[in-house]
Amino acid sequence: CLDTVWSEVQGEGLATKRLVPIEQQSPDNLHCPLALDQLAYVLYTSGSTGQPKGVMISHSAIYNHMRWFLRAFPLTPADRVLQKTDCSFDASVWEFYAPWLSGAQLVMARPQGQRNSRYLVQAIVRYHITILQLVPSQLQMLLEEPAFGNCSSLQRLFCGGERLPVELSQKLLRLLPTELYNLYGPSEVCIDATSWYCVVEPQSGSIPIGKPIDNIRAYVLNPSLEPVPVGLPGELYLAGAGLARGYLKRPDLTAERFVPDPFNREPGARLYCTGDRVRYQADGSLDCLGRLDQQVKLRGYRIELGELDALLEQHPAVRQSVVVLRGDREGQARLVAYLVKREDSTRLSARELHDYLQEKVPAYMVPQTFVMLQELPLTTNGKVNRAALPVPEASEEETNSGWTELYTPIEELLSEVWSQVLARPPRGRHENFFEAGGHSLLATQLIARVRRLLKVEIPLRNLFDAPTIAGLGQRVEQALQVEQKGGLPALVARECPQDLPLSFAQRRLWFLDQLEPDNIAYLVPSALRVQGVVHSQALEQSLQEVIRRHEILRTTFEEHDGEPVQVIHPLAYAMAYQLPVIDLQALSQPERMWQTERLAQQEQQRPIDLAHGPLLRSWLLRLASEEHVLLLTQHHIITDAWSSTILRRELEEIYRAFVDGLPCPLAPLPIQYADYALWQRDWLQGEILQAQLDYWKGQLAALTPLELPTDRPRPHLQSGRGATRSLLLPQKLLLELKALSQQEGVTLFMTLLAAFQVLLARYSGQQDISVGIPIANRRHAEVEGLIGFFANTLVLRSNLTGNPSFREVLARVRDVALSAYTHQDVPFEKLVEELQPERNISRSPLFQVMFILQRAVSVPEKLQGLKSDAFHLENATAKFDLTLALLDSGQELHSSVEYNTDLFDKATIVQFLQHWRLLLETIVRNSEQRLSVLSLLSEDERDQILHVWNATRIAYSTSVCMHELFAKQTGETPDAIAVLHEDEHLTYSELNRQANRLAHRLRALGVRQNVAVGFCVE
């Protein structure tokens, strides 16, 4: 090959002599005469305006650094250095030269390998790497990899480029037997200027940047270039052999940053002004306190905050701006922009500012958060008081306005990881990770955590291709399906047969409706309070348009040849839909509210005829000229919680357009619910169905009903009568629960579900607890914007035997939940049909309690010229014995229990909620407590119950003895026996009921009980 190439080169007249084979070359070093002050290389550091400046490094500077490095950290041929730093960073220089100069082995990481923490761990283990350099954020990612503990070959690890947190160093040193060094040095002083050896137990709350390396001098000076005493802060200046020659073709900037050295009489001696605020400690080490100027370093990049301020103030709507670097959480530093808009400007959104900056600066320079202020806080001398800038809270676009958004189980997991990585909760399923402040390092961190949590291989590219929770969630779902060898087929529009079948979920509701035609348990009522002038005609037309768009809203259900079918009515059905208006303006304010609540309750009690419809009813109540309540009632067979959000969102967007005289702004729907029903019937059969059924048959084998102690015997037939009681849990407790979830590697949902199952176990005395949970079941992007009954129900069964700690319960619940998520496709109705549990019309099959967690999200738009919010409706139905519904608003945790009034009294549910609160407070204090010692009562309640227990036990014993004796002699029934105790006359049945009520509270104490004659005794 060489001969051929050489011939071609000679043919072009570019060579005059033939190449000499390498084995014939001289082994002597090449003769390259160089002066020490000659240029070795130019390395560019980036400015925030995208105008890099070239730092000129001489041979003497790199020679000095490498001589110090190999003296301080001698390498041998047995050492292996992993070269993973991008060559545009100066740290890559020593990664190359150290092994070359010492004869150690140089292992080259694959391109972009530094972004994949899992790959780095594999490379360290595979190649027995002994020497490694990382920036702290990369170290954080590696420490989150479970396999990082196998990297025992590491002998030295160097950190630099940004501040090294104490917690990070301690975690590393306790995990691996390695040496850790914190290195500091700007590019202008050739890679490193100071070094510090880290120990497991540091003497102070921060890690020093250390002492100067060989032939480097460090000065802590005041503005007059005079040294400051030890312990007092000043600006760090560096001098010595490592200084750069200056900036390429930037003499002005060179003169500004490289100043004459007043402590050195040699001609041309200089100091480099770092701009870092430091102080000398008593042991001679340097402690870095931050920046003196507005230059910051974020993930190894330098950012001039002043230039960002200037760019933002060039925006026509911005009057003032100040950008700061905030580190509100350890290792989660972020840029925050505070702005004051011009008085004559229109509404200014964070998205607009983000896009504006993204066109002008690199992505890592764009602030993650934008905070709008009336005025910037000032100091007494008129300068911006950066210390007084508020900690970013939810901006106007992030505030909750009554929306609730359901996440799929996988999306719920992703949202928890999202919150951990970005240090704030997501602003909805469709927020872009990178627009929210994510970058390549955080992306790697997110993928690593998802991989560890779900145990599924997800390439980093997936996040770049689908950078939202919804998008990434679908990629994860697909990966899980591939692992199960049963990927989901495409969902496309198709021609409907004459007899259109129901989905599995619809079929069960239709069957229940046939058993009880007037059952109102499956009505879905909602109410929207609207303030402002309402155009009733435009609102009616908007409802008609929504019904036109979604075929399911103009569908009824009939029976053909013994089978239920969907009947989709033509578009004329939608155009004939009317919005009745009831005018209550003539009534007084109290009467208006009473009538509103009465009409809402009346609407909830009015059944829906599935065969004739309509399955969506609406009323507009006019309370005043600018105050209305919109009542909407649907049957569950055409909707679910996700669909309710779609209905409201579409209604608002269409209404806004119709009021302005514009056409419907929404794009046509790619498919309809009927397409989904046909797809489900075609796909979920044969081997695919059997594989999922086999899992559930094993999971739910020998399932026993949950026997909660009730206030009344269970009726033979469920009536559906219910009520709701609520409890608001404070933000402090919510944050503690989220912190516990992150610590244990679970979601908030899993933590709350585990606590709920523990509470049920305490109440029932059982250790095999099954709870139903709803899932959105929208695994195709095509159905995300579709109204219909997609929601499925999973049965999560947890085994609490062995007196585990709550932490152990969490691990069990996590495993059960993840397994259930990967087998979520079998509709609950199909599962009941296949498992054929013992039919009991007094209770629901497979589970008797439901658990729901929702999160509130921001409302992106409002009704045109109106303000809308949810209007509370008192629920009067109950589908199960108990349903615990939780709403995470970000500020509080709303806990609401929907209960069957045939079984429970209000006082019992109020006490249940108090026990729920006490249990959560107990587990966040100590998750290692065993279940047997978890206390749900205060000391006062404990003393009170034990007092009543003793008194009632005496009365009960007396009543039993009298009953047995008197019954033998007279043959009277127990209810006729009167017992005299403490001047109270109690019939036997009354005493028995009081004792059973007491049993509720005794179970909260953990008292072991045996049932005897209807009462629990010790």
Side-chain angles (χ1 to χ4, degrees):
C1 291
L2 286 176
D3 287 343
T4 301
V5 171
W6 185 251
S7 299
E8 293 176 353
V9 171
Q10 285 183 316
E12 296 293 331
L14 299 176
T16 57
K17 63 179 181 180
R18 190 172 181 81
L19 288 174
V20 178
I22 191 170
E23 63 270 13
Q24 297 179 17
Q25 295 282 358
S26 170
D28 298 333
N29 288 332
L30 295 176
H31 179 63
C32 299
L34 290 171
L36 287 176
D37 61 348
Q38 282 186 284
L39 195 63
Y41 60 84
V42 175
L43 189 143
Y44 283 84
T45 62
S46 178
S48 64
T49 58
Q51 298 296 326
K53 49 192 177 186
V55 179
M56 298 185 292
I57 299 297
S58 65
H59 283 275
S60 62
I62 183 64
Y63 170 75
N64 182 75
H65 181 275
M66 296 312 306
R67 184 177 181 182
W68 160 79
F69 186 89
L70 294 177
R71 180 195 62 77
F73 314 113
L75 302 184
T76 70
D79 281 308
R80 296 188 175 191
V81 179
L82 181 63
Q83 200 290 310
K84 41 144 281 299
T85 305
D86 192 294
C87 61
S88 62
F89 288 88
D90 60 357
S92 66
V93 175
W94 79 256
E95 286 181 341
F96 285 114
Y97 277 95
W100 288 344
L101 293 171
S102 63
Q105 299 180 56
L106 177 66
V107 179
M108 301 286 291
R110 71 186 186 193
Q112 304 301 316
Q114 76 276 12
R115 296 186 175 185
N116 190 327
S117 55
R118 189 179 189 185
Y119 161 75
L120 287 180
V121 170
Q122 292 173 344
I124 293 169
V125 174
R126 179 180 180 183
Y127 299 110
H128 305 286
I129 300 300
T130 62
I131 308 298
L132 180 67
Q133 161 155 301
L134 299 166
V135 295
S137 52
Q138 289 174 324
L139 175 59
Q140 174 72 49
M141 291 189 303
L142 289 188
L143 285 170
E144 292 176 356
E145 285 288 340
F148 188 52
N150 299 329
C151 298
S152 56
S153 62
L154 283 177
Q155 297 177 12
R156 292 193 189 98
L157 196 150
F158 301 95
C159 264
E162 56 192 31
R163 188 175 65 87
L164 176 62
V166 174
E167 294 80 2
L168 207 59
S169 68
Q170 291 178 327
K171 188 174 181 180
L172 170 71
L173 295 175
R174 288 169 179 160
L175 179 66
L176 293 175
T178 185
E179 296 178 356
L180 175 63
Y181 294 88
N182 187 30
L183 304 180
Y184 163 86
S187 300
E188 288 82 352
V189 192
C190 193
I191 310 175
D192 300 311
T194 65
S195 172
W196 179 257
Y197 175 65
C198 302
V199 295
V200 178
E201 299 295 340
Q203 297 180 352
S204 63
S206 62
I207 296 180
I209 59 174
K211 299 179 181 181
I213 68 171
D214 293 352
N215 301 314
I216 297 294
R217 300 186 304 279
Y219 301 94
V220 182
L221 308 177
N222 63 20
S224 301
L225 297 187
E226 297 172 339
V228 300
V230 172
L232 295 183
E235 185 171 2
L236 176 63
Y237 287 78
L238 298 171
L243 259 62
R245 288 169 48 174
Y247 299 110
L248 182 64
K249 298 181 179 180
R250 297 290 300 275
D252 54 338
L253 187 59
T254 300
E256 176 186 340
R257 305 300 292 183
F258 293 86
V259 299
D261 185 353
F263 311 103
N264 191 335
R265 296 183 178 180
E266 293 183 10
R270 299 169 302 153
L271 292 175
Y272 171 66
C273 173
T274 66
D276 288 319
R277 186 169 177 262
V278 302
R279 64 183 174 190
Y280 263 120
Q281 298 182 341
D283 62 355
S285 63
L286 288 164
D287 188 17
C288 189
L289 305 175
R291 293 290 300 175
L292 280 169
D293 55 18
Q294 291 185 319
Q295 184 189 85
V296 297
K297 203 167 188 180
L298 181 62
R299 300 184 295 277
Y301 294 102
R302 291 187 187 180
I303 301 172
E304 298 287 350
L305 297 180
E307 295 184 22
L308 277 178
D309 294 342
L311 279 174
L312 282 169
E313 289 176 0
Q314 292 175 16
H315 189 284
V318 176
R319 177 164 61 90
Q320 287 179 289
S321 169
V322 57
V323 180
V324 299
L325 181 69
R326 298 199 74 108
D328 300 319
R329 280 183 54 186
E330 198 69 71
Q332 294 287 354
R334 56 175 173 157
L335 291 175
V336 179
Y338 296 86
L339 305 109
V340 178
K341 67 178 184 178
R342 298 184 184 276
E343 295 179 358
D344 57 348
S345 65
T346 57
R347 183 177 182 272
L348 188 61
S349 68
R351 178 61 181 268
E352 179 184 349
L353 291 167
H354 178 280
D355 293 344
Y356 166 77
L357 282 180
Q358 199 169 38
E359 295 177 357
K360 300 179 179 298
V361 298
Y364 62 83
M365 309 284 187
V366 180
Q368 295 183 28
T369 307
F370 294 86
V371 180
M372 304 299 172
L373 300 176
Q374 294 295 325
E375 295 290 342
L376 294 178
L378 304 177
T379 61
T380 54
N381 60 6
K383 295 183 178 181
V384 174
N385 187 353
R386 294 173 180 267
L389 291 169
V391 176
E393 297 179 353
S395 66
E396 180 183 347
E397 293 175 280
E398 302 167 32
T399 54
N400 298 319
S401 302
W403 284 90
T404 56
E405 187 172 50
L406 283 180
Y407 285 51
T408 69
I410 297 300
E411 290 173 358
E412 184 69 30
L413 289 163
L414 293 178
S415 71
E416 294 293 331
V417 179
W418 189 289
S419 300
Q420 297 168 24
V421 171
L422 290 182
R424 67 158 179 80
R427 301 169 191 167
R429 301 172 55 253
H430 298 286
E431 181 184 40
N432 187 293
F433 177 80
F434 299 101
E435 292 178 1
H439 47 78
S440 56
L441 288 179
L442 289 182
T444 304
Q445 190 175 356
L446 184 142
I447 291 297
R449 294 189 183 192
V450 171
R451 187 186 297 123
R452 184 178 73 248
L453 191 63
L454 293 172
K455 296 180 175 59
V456 63
E457 183 60 38
I458 301 295
L460 180 63
R461 180 184 178 87
N462 278 356
L463 181 58
F464 286 87
D465 293 340
T468 66
I469 291 177
L472 185 61
Q474 290 181 4
R475 301 298 178 94
V476 174
E477 297 260 15
Q478 292 168 4
L480 291 171
Q481 285 291 325
V482 169
E483 291 194 0
Q484 293 183 54
K485 301 178 182 179
L488 292 173
L491 175 53
V492 296
R494 53 196 296 185
E495 185 176 350
C496 294
Q498 183 175 357
D499 287 344
L500 179 62
L502 281 62
S503 69
F504 291 116
Q506 286 180 323
R507 185 180 177 87
R508 180 168 182 263
L509 288 191
W510 180 86
F511 176 75
L512 293 175
D513 185 76
Q514 298 303 299
L515 290 177
E516 300 178 67
D518 293 331
N519 191 339
I520 61 173
Y522 289 94
L523 297 188
V524 182
S526 62
L528 186 67
R529 185 195 303 273
V530 184
Q531 295 179 337
V533 177
V534 173
H535 300 271
S536 57
Q537 183 178 0
L539 187 55
E540 181 180 80
Q541 292 172 348
S542 301
L543 281 165
Q544 293 172 352
E545 179 63 20
V546 175
I547 296 171
R548 185 198 65 79
R549 282 172 50 78
H550 296 271
E551 290 180 352
I552 192 66
L553 298 181
R554 43 190 168 91
T555 297
T556 54
F557 299 85
E558 300 178 1
E559 186 175 354
H560 290 179
D561 299 328
E563 286 293 320
V565 296
Q566 298 187 61
V567 178
I568 302 174
H569 295 272
L571 295 179
Y573 181 93
M575 298 303 101
Y577 187 87
Q578 294 182 348
L579 174 63
V581 179
I582 299 179
D583 197 332
L584 303 176
Q585 295 182 90
L587 302 177
S588 64
Q589 175 66 18
E591 290 177 325
R592 286 200 300 269
M593 296 310 300
W594 181 83
Q595 282 290 349
T596 299
E597 293 175 1
R598 185 187 67 82
L599 290 170
Q601 290 294 334
Q602 177 179 304
E603 179 65 6
Q604 290 185 60
Q605 301 296 321
R606 192 157 61 96
I608 287 180
D609 187 340
L610 296 185
H612 299 93
L615 274 63
L616 167 63
R617 295 197 304 252
S618 59
W619 294 85
L620 182 63
L621 309 182
R622 180 171 292 138
L623 281 63
S625 60
E626 296 189 6
E627 184 179 4
H628 298 74
V629 172
L630 177 63
L631 300 179
L632 296 171
T633 305
Q634 303 171 79
H635 196 283
H636 201 359
I637 201 168
I638 65 166
T639 191
D640 52 24
W642 190 301
S643 299
S644 296
T645 299
I646 295 173
L647 175 62
R648 178 177 169 182
R649 184 171 292 154
E650 288 199 357
L651 184 61
E652 294 187 350
E653 291 187 35
I654 295 170
Y655 175 84
R656 190 166 57 252
F658 283 5
V659 168
D660 291 338
L662 301 174
C664 174
L666 303 178
L669 295 169
I671 62 171
Q672 293 289 339
Y673 186 84
D675 300 314
Y676 166 77
L678 292 171
W679 170 89
Q680 185 188 56
R681 292 272 177 174
D682 290 345
W683 173 64
L684 203 55
Q685 56 182 325
E687 294 182 2
I688 294 176
L689 175 61
Q690 192 58 48
Q692 298 236 359
L693 285 175
D694 289 344
Y695 166 80
W696 287 110
K697 287 179 180 179
Q699 182 68 15
L700 303 180
L703 191 66
T704 56
L706 181 67
E707 298 290 352
L708 293 174
T710 61
D711 295 307
R712 280 169 295 282
R714 183 180 295 274
H716 177 68
L717 180 65
Q718 299 181 77
S719 69
R721 288 188 292 267
T724 303
R725 302 299 299 176
S726 300
L727 178 68
L728 188 63
L729 301 178
Q731 184 182 35
K732 179 178 182 295
L733 179 56
L734 175 60
L735 295 177
E736 290 172 338
L737 288 165
K738 290 182 176 180
L740 173 63
S741 303
Q742 293 181 8
Q743 174 186 325
E744 298 300 326
V746 299
T747 66
L748 177 64
F749 170 87
M750 294 174 182
T751 299
L752 293 171
L753 174 62
F756 184 48
Q757 291 184 309
V758 168
L759 185 59
L760 294 174
R762 177 60 60 84
Y763 263 73
S764 66
Q766 298 170 261
Q767 295 177 318
D768 184 1
I769 306 297
S770 296
V771 173
I773 67 163
I775 60 169
N777 199 30
R778 298 186 183 233
R779 305 180 68 178
H780 285 89
E782 292 82 1
V783 303
E784 278 196 9
L786 205 59
I787 292 175
F789 185 16
F790 296 92
N792 195 13
T793 301
L794 300 182
V795 184
L796 299 189
R797 183 184 187 183
S798 296
N799 185 342
L800 306 185
T801 58
N803 190 27
S805 67
F806 183 77
R807 185 179 183 184
E808 292 170 334
V809 173
L810 264 182
R812 297 181 188 182
V813 170
R814 176 185 180 275
D815 291 341
V816 168
L818 290 177
S819 296
Y821 296 161
T822 57
H823 297 86
Q824 64 174 281
D825 298 299
V826 179
F828 178 76
E829 296 71 22
K830 187 68 175 176
L831 190 62
V832 173
E833 178 184 327
E834 293 288 336
L835 295 181
Q836 295 184 351
E838 181 181 350
R839 287 293 180 179
N840 186 340
I841 58 177
S842 68
R843 69 175 86 229
S844 59
L846 300 183
F847 67 91
Q848 290 74 51
V849 295
M850 175 73 80
F851 177 82
I852 302 172
L853 174 64
Q854 296 175 322
R855 66 177 68 214
V857 297
S858 59
V859 182
E861 302 288 352
K862 304 289 187 207
L863 289 170
Q864 181 73 10
L866 304 176
K867 179 182 179 182
S868 61
D869 55 38
F871 182 83
H872 175 69
L873 293 178
E874 187 66 33
N875 187 25
T877 62
K879 301 181 184 67
F880 307 100
D881 293 359
L882 284 178
T883 296
L884 177 60
L886 306 173
L887 176 63
D888 174 10
S889 71
Q891 302 300 317
E892 299 97 3
L893 184 65
H894 299 259
S895 301
S896 178
V897 173
E898 176 188 282
Y899 63 97
N900 188 326
T901 53
D902 291 340
L903 302 178
F904 302 105
D905 290 337
K906 179 173 68 174
T908 300
I909 302 303
V910 169
Q911 186 183 55
F912 183 89
L913 283 168
Q914 291 299 327
H915 287 163
W916 168 246
R917 176 182 60 82
L918 287 166
L919 176 62
L920 295 179
E921 291 174 346
T922 301
I923 63 176
V924 296
R925 285 196 301 267
N926 184 5
S927 61
E928 296 290 350
Q929 273 191 318
R930 299 285 172 181
L931 298 191
S932 60
V933 297
L934 281 175
S935 176
L936 303 183
L937 296 179
S938 65
E939 291 300 322
D940 290 342
E941 289 176 308
R942 181 186 296 269
D943 294 341
Q944 178 187 2
I945 289 179
L946 291 178
H947 173 73
V948 176
W949 161 259
N950 291 326
T952 309
R953 183 168 53 179
I954 296 172
Y956 174 74
S957 300
T958 304
S959 69
V960 171
C961 293
M962 291 183 65
H963 164 253
E964 293 175 350
L965 179 62
F966 197 68
K968 287 180 181 179
Q969 296 178 355
T970 66
E972 294 285 348
T973 60
D975 286 343
I977 300 175
V979 179
L980 179 63
H981 177 70
E982 294 184 355
D983 299 327
E984 292 184 9
H985 289 274
L986 300 174
T987 66
Y988 179 80
S989 61
E990 288 171 344
L991 181 60
N992 194 44
R993 178 174 174 176
Q994 179 180 345
N996 277 321
R997 286 286 302 277
L998 178 61
H1000 288 301
R1001 308 184 75 185
L1002 287 170
R1003 285 190 176 92
L1005 290 172
V1007 177
R1008 299 183 62 185
Q1009 303 151 16
N1010 294 311
V1011 177
V1013 199
F1015 177 50
C1016 301
V1017 295
E1018 207 171 318

